[in-house]
Amino acid sequence: MKKFVSFRPIAALVILTISVTGCGNKQPSSGSADKVPTDHSSGKPVDAATAGSVTGKILFTGVLPQNKTINMIDVPNCAKLHSEPVMTEGAVAGDNGTLQNVVVYLQGDFSAYSFPPAAAPVQVDQQGCIYIPHVVAVMTGDPLQVTSKDAVTHNINAMSQLHQGWNETQMPGGPSIVKRFAQEEIPMTVKCNMHPWMRFYLAVVDHPYFQVTGKDGQFALRNVPPGTYTLTAWHETFGTKKQTIVIQPKQEQTVSITYTDQDHP
């Protein structure tokens, strides 16, 4: 009598393997970036005796587009934490005609210099199903820490063109998520797959000459080695503006960049 061998367990294992592999291809992982930390210690320190600085404001003229009210009725644990309506942050005015949430940074060759690591992680917190702050910047190799104070589950999905993204669930009371990045990328969009209104923007810069404007719309980039650079501003709604600057030894420059409502696509 012939014996028949069942292939069902083997077939099931093959299908499971294919399924797991397919899911892993949906979103690039930041694991490779974490394994190759950027070293900023191989160059020479910036000479403070000759370094200059550039300070200024990001201004706005015209009418800002209206932000939208966020409806959290389906997430009562978050909705109850807000005493006033929560608005999106696509365009937030600063004081005296300035603009908030603009990433200001220098573009140039800083490869000859060394920079100390950040004293503490750049932190983004989830509070009431909102990312705070809305825009952050971090130097390559330095940590970004994402925390949550919410009593609901979040799913942090960082979308990267350079395979530095990640997609990770964060449970209530769960540990912080810490990531490092090996390549400059401006911007990375980070959202919550479970709450579609949740979104923040991350700028990864390969040196410490950057700042995100706050309520006063100001920026200050100090201890910059003399040279010719491109002063660059990025905003999620109004895009990128650039201006060439030349920093002489010990020179303190003041430069303003102006966005208008005509910059809105």
Side-chain angles (χ1 to χ4, degrees), residues 4-17:
F4 294 92
V5 179
S6 173
F7 290 93
R8 290 181 182 176
I10 298 175
L13 179 60
V14 171
I15 293 172
L16 177 60
T17 302

Side-chain angles (χ1 to χ4, degrees), residues 90-111:
V92 181
D95 296 332
N96 302 317
T98 61
L99 190 62
Q100 298 188 47
N101 294 330
V102 181
V103 181
V104 184
Y105 62 102
L106 294 179
Q107 289 181 295
D109 184 6
F110 297 101
S111 59

Side-chain angles (χ1 to χ4, degrees), residues 52-59 218-222 231 243-247 251-257:
S53 65
V54 53
T55 63
K57 295 181 179 180
I58 302 297
L59 303 171
Q218 298 183 14
F219 63 90
L221 310 178
R222 305 190 186 280
L231 180 65
Q243 182 173 335
T244 300
I245 60 170
V246 178
I247 297 181
Q251 182 183 26
E252 297 183 2
Q253 284 204 44
T254 300
V255 180
S256 293
I257 294 178

Side-chain angles (χ1 to χ4, degrees), residues 78 81 123-133 145-157 168-171 175-177 190-193 195 198 200:
C78 287
L81 299 178
Q123 185 165 314
V124 175
D125 191 30
Q126 294 159 109
Q127 299 182 31
C129 290
I130 296 294
Y131 287 117
I132 301 173
Q145 182 180 50
V146 182
T147 63
S148 178
K149 292 183 172 68
D150 289 338
V152 298
T153 299
H154 292 299
N155 182 267
I156 298 92
N157 183 0
E168 189 170 342
T169 298
Q170 194 169 34
M171 304 294 291
S176 301
I177 295 173
V190 187
K191 65 179 183 178
C192 175
N193 287 342
H195 309 108
M198 291 183 64
F200 78 92

Side-chain angles (χ1 to χ4, degrees), residues 71-84 86 128-129:
N71 184 359
M72 297 187 187
I73 191 171
D74 293 331
V75 193
N77 281 337
C78 287
K80 69 182 181 181
L81 299 178
H82 302 281
S83 58
E84 298 178 354
V86 181
C129 290

Side-chain angles (χ1 to χ4, degrees), residues 162-230:
L162 302 178
H163 303 286
Q164 301 189 109
W166 78 92
N167 192 339
E168 189 170 342
T169 298
Q170 194 169 34
M171 304 294 291
S176 301
I177 295 173
V178 178
K179 298 293 179 181
R180 290 176 172 83
F181 310 92
Q183 300 180 74
E184 185 169 277
E185 185 170 4
I186 306 166
M188 290 175 60
T189 302
V190 187
K191 65 179 183 178
C192 175
N193 287 342
M194 306 189 74
H195 309 108
W197 63 84
M198 291 183 64
R199 183 178 297 254
F200 78 92
Y201 293 92
L202 167 65
V204 181
V205 188
D206 199 30
H207 54 73
Y209 304 115
F210 59 85
Q211 191 170 1
V212 180
T213 59
K215 197 171 187 297
D216 60 5
Q218 298 183 14
F219 63 90
L221 310 178
R222 305 190 186 280
N223 199 39
V224 181
T228 300
Y229 305 104
T230 301

